Amino acid sequence: MKLFLDSANLEEIREVASWGVLDGVTTNPSLCSKENATFEDNIRAICAVCAGPVSAECVSLRADEIVVEGRGLARIAPNVAVKIPICLEGLKATKTLHAEGVPVNMTLIFSASQALLAAKAGARFVSPFIGRLDDASEDGMALIEEIVQIFENYRFETEVIVASVRHPRHVVEAALVGADIATVPYGVMEKLVKHPLTDIGIERFLADWRKVRK
Ligand code: G3P
């Protein structure tokens, strides 16, 4: 299973890359708006730190404009994946960009039918937002299971990015149902490594070690 960082913050991205677990990065306009650098400079810098796919999102709403914007984003670095919200215009743009060899991450997926259409149009990735579904009293992980099953049934090469991750159990359950990727915020990434019994264990071993060294 691949782990992406859901962040536009260079320090966070460098830190997780140093752990040896970073397979890619996803950004969105809200994440980019928190950073000081201009959007394009920031994406270029992220692509220099992370060799894996780095999603940069289009904000145009008409297919022809999304295509032009997507081509521009893809020119920033060879590892840019162009993120496009699911809608009819987005599907048309995905078809064109896919034919040109530009990888598309189709985002804001909230149903299996949306994911199916995205895969058929040629999206390289789909991003279902599970946390936002859970927030609306729905079952985000059930959606992931459906999409994984559909893609397996028809051998779609489109990869499922579990997005809008809120806690470590989301990551574990995503792995159990066979999702290809989870994109994880920095705070949750830190929690993945922690366990109070590990901390207590280290403390105890160090205390005992000090006794035998005397
Ligand atoms: O990158 C998109 C997604 O992960 C957003 O998450 O927390 O804003 O629902 P959130």
Side-chain angles (χ1 to χ4, degrees):
M1 189 202 199
K2 284 174 265 187
L3 284 181
F4 287 7
L5 189 68
D6 198 23
S7 172
N9 183 277
L10 261 183
E11 264 177 52
E12 292 179 352
I13 295 163
R14 280 199 192 99
E15 174 63 19
V16 177
S18 77
W19 303 350
V21 301
L22 186 67
D23 298 306
V25 172
T26 51
T27 70
N28 61 39
S30 307
L31 292 170
C32 291
S33 72
K34 294 183 196 162
E35 303 307 314
N36 276 330
T38 62
F39 172 66
E40 204 174 310
D41 285 351
N42 198 26
I43 296 294
R44 189 172 296 106
I46 294 170
C47 288
V49 172
C50 175
V54 173
S55 290
E57 189 154 341
C58 288
V59 290
S60 303
L61 296 175
R62 272 187 21 209
D64 53 346
E65 291 170 356
I66 299 171
V67 168
V68 171
E69 194 184 351
R71 285 179 187 142
L73 294 176
R75 275 194 294 271
I76 295 175
N79 54 329
V80 165
V82 174
K83 214 173 180 188
I84 302 175
I86 178 79
C87 59
L88 291 178
E89 294 297 299
L91 285 174
K92 293 179 204 169
T94 298
K95 176 178 181 276
T96 304
L97 289 169
H98 169 62
E100 294 175 7
V102 174
V104 171
N105 174 1
M106 195 130 251
T107 189
L108 285 167
I109 299 279
F110 290 98
S111 75
S113 59
Q114 290 177 324
L116 176 60
L117 292 188
K120 285 183 69 66
R124 179 82 188 78
F125 307 99
V126 287
S127 291
F129 279 25
I130 62 163
R132 293 192 196 181
L133 280 172
D134 290 355
D135 291 344
S137 300
E138 293 190 39
D139 186 347
M141 203 53 69
L143 172 61
I144 301 300
E145 276 188 87
E146 285 186 355
I147 297 172
V148 166
Q149 183 67 62
I150 291 167
F151 286 6
E152 262 177 37
N153 289 350
Y154 297 99
R155 296 187 171 79
F156 282 112
E157 285 178 6
T158 308
E159 291 183 90
V160 180
I161 304 181
V162 177
S164 188
V165 162
R166 301 269 194 262
H167 49 73
R169 276 312 293 180
H170 271 157
V171 179
V172 172
E173 284 163 23
L176 284 170
V177 302
D180 303 282
I181 301 155
T183 189
V184 183
Y186 184 77
V188 178
M189 198 68 96
E190 279 186 317
K191 286 182 188 165
L192 290 176
V193 77
K194 287 190 180 153
H195 196 287
L197 290 177
T198 305
D199 297 339
I200 291 168
I202 290 173
E203 246 175 63
R204 197 170 294 161
F205 282 151
L206 286 179
D208 290 341
W209 178 243
R210 280 191 287 272
K211 285 181 212 158
V212 291
R213 287 200 65 186
K214 275 182 195 162

